[in-house]
Amino acid sequence: MEANRWKKTLAATAIAGLGVFGMSSFAHAQGSRLLATSGVTEVGGSTGGGIVPWAVISGYDTGDEIGGSASGTFVRVPNYSLSSLGASVGIHNRLEISVAHEVLNVNLGGLSNLSVLGNQAGGLGVVATPSPIINLGNQTISMDVLGLKARLFGDILYTPYPQVSVGIKYKKNNDFNSNFSGLGPIGIPKFLGAASDSGTDFYVAATKVFLNGVFHRVTLVNLTVRGTKANAMGLLGFGTNSNNGIAGALGTKSDNSYHAELEASAAVFLRPDVALGGEVRQQPDSMRYPTNAAATTIGSPGTMKDVFIAYFPNKSLSLTAAYADLGPLPFQASNKGVYLSLNATF
């Protein structure tokens, strides 16, 4: 019941938000800001790059206007796919409200039980003959995100110092207690030792555009500092509890504290409508399994990275393609593949 109420609330918020900036778009269809200063939408629904929130507020609108965006993102790596639907509303270039629904599909049909995983790169290693045998098959982990961002001061173009914003993200993992291969009410996040199904991130972001930047081209630089308990953005739950799943058996200690993580983005505009750049996003290491060095990556999400190209044919639409490294995910140490995102701005 709680999950259903949360989903209904999320859907209602998204519909209401889309209605607000959809009506406002009739009055300010293109907004007053320059092309591409809206950024795109990161997987968590906020305005930014593909995996990092920026200080930018959603839409192209300025002090007396309301705008927003909606996006769809798909990431494909071997045995995994991540899809995200997001929407955001920007109010007077000062406040942003965002929502997102993320789904991680795990295709592990070729790995029939944990004894097989012990022979994989980044596998459990120490687990030889589990009882009961766990048939992994195909699994799905979904998460809902509600975000709020406020611009404190500055402007990415018109002030000599960066635009600075603060934000929060409340995240709810919907599969923390789902039935994982017949083991009862325990999903993959809890099985790997996560402590909770929900958590709140806090972040501060600084973004600046230099009109005469690298090679005398327009250059964007962003730095974000995030306080978080999230494992793999929250798709593997939040914090760790040595009493949950296999964590204690592998030596994982309980850790429900916040970790300060750095995130950065940089992009150079090859043309006014084409940007080439990259991003890095650190993640907490609280799921590390210290009793087996070869197995640490199975629950240790590590650093996410991408190299992207973004095309802005007009103020209403942008398309981003990237080569992304999601870092270690459950049962697989290396996860590199293609990232595609379509973003509509109103």
Side-chain angles (χ1 to χ4, degrees), residues 2-10 144 146 170 172 174:
E2 180 182 355
N4 289 334
R5 286 197 299 269
W6 166 247
K7 290 178 181 178
K8 290 178 180 178
T9 301
L10 183 70
D144 296 316
L146 177 62
Y170 174 74
K172 179 69 166 62
N174 301 317

Side-chain angles (χ1 to χ4, degrees), residues 46-231:
S46 300
T47 301
I51 57 176
V52 177
W54 297 349
V56 176
I57 300 299
S58 179
Y60 283 100
D61 303 287
T62 55
D64 59 347
E65 301 168 341
I66 296 176
S69 66
S71 69
T73 300
F74 180 76
V75 188
R76 177 65 181 171
V77 299
N79 295 320
Y80 290 88
S81 64
L82 174 64
S83 58
S84 174
L85 295 175
S88 61
V89 181
I91 302 172
H92 300 168
N93 197 26
R94 179 63 65 178
L95 183 68
E96 176 183 292
I97 302 171
S98 62
V99 293
H101 180 69
E102 301 175 30
V103 178
L104 178 68
N105 291 306
V106 186
N107 181 10
L108 296 174
L111 304 177
S112 60
N113 58 63
L114 289 182
S115 62
V116 174
L117 294 176
N119 298 320
Q120 305 300 310
L124 288 173
V126 296
V127 179
T129 308
S131 180
I133 290 176
I134 301 173
N135 296 313
L136 297 173
N138 297 325
Q139 307 290 330
T140 299
I141 304 172
S142 71
M143 181 173 68
D144 296 316
V145 185
L146 177 62
L148 182 66
K149 184 197 300 183
R151 180 170 66 89
L152 297 182
F153 58 84
D155 185 274
I156 61 171
L157 284 173
Y158 302 118
T159 58
Y161 45 86
Q163 179 169 319
V164 176
S165 298
V166 294
I168 62 173
K169 286 178 174 290
Y170 174 74
K171 302 179 178 182
K172 179 69 166 62
N173 190 299
N174 301 317
D175 291 287
F176 185 80
N177 289 315
S178 61
N179 193 322
F180 173 38
S181 297
L183 292 182
I186 178 172
I188 290 179
K190 189 173 182 179
F191 175 76
L192 292 177
S196 175
D197 67 349
S198 62
T200 302
D201 289 358
F202 302 88
Y203 67 89
V204 56
T207 309
K208 180 62 181 169
V209 171
F210 299 92
L211 297 179
N212 187 23
V214 176
F215 301 120
H216 303 290
R217 296 184 179 275
V218 176
T219 302
L220 179 145
V221 177
N222 175 83
L223 180 65
T224 299
V225 180
R226 183 192 301 258
T228 182
K229 300 180 182 181
N231 307 312

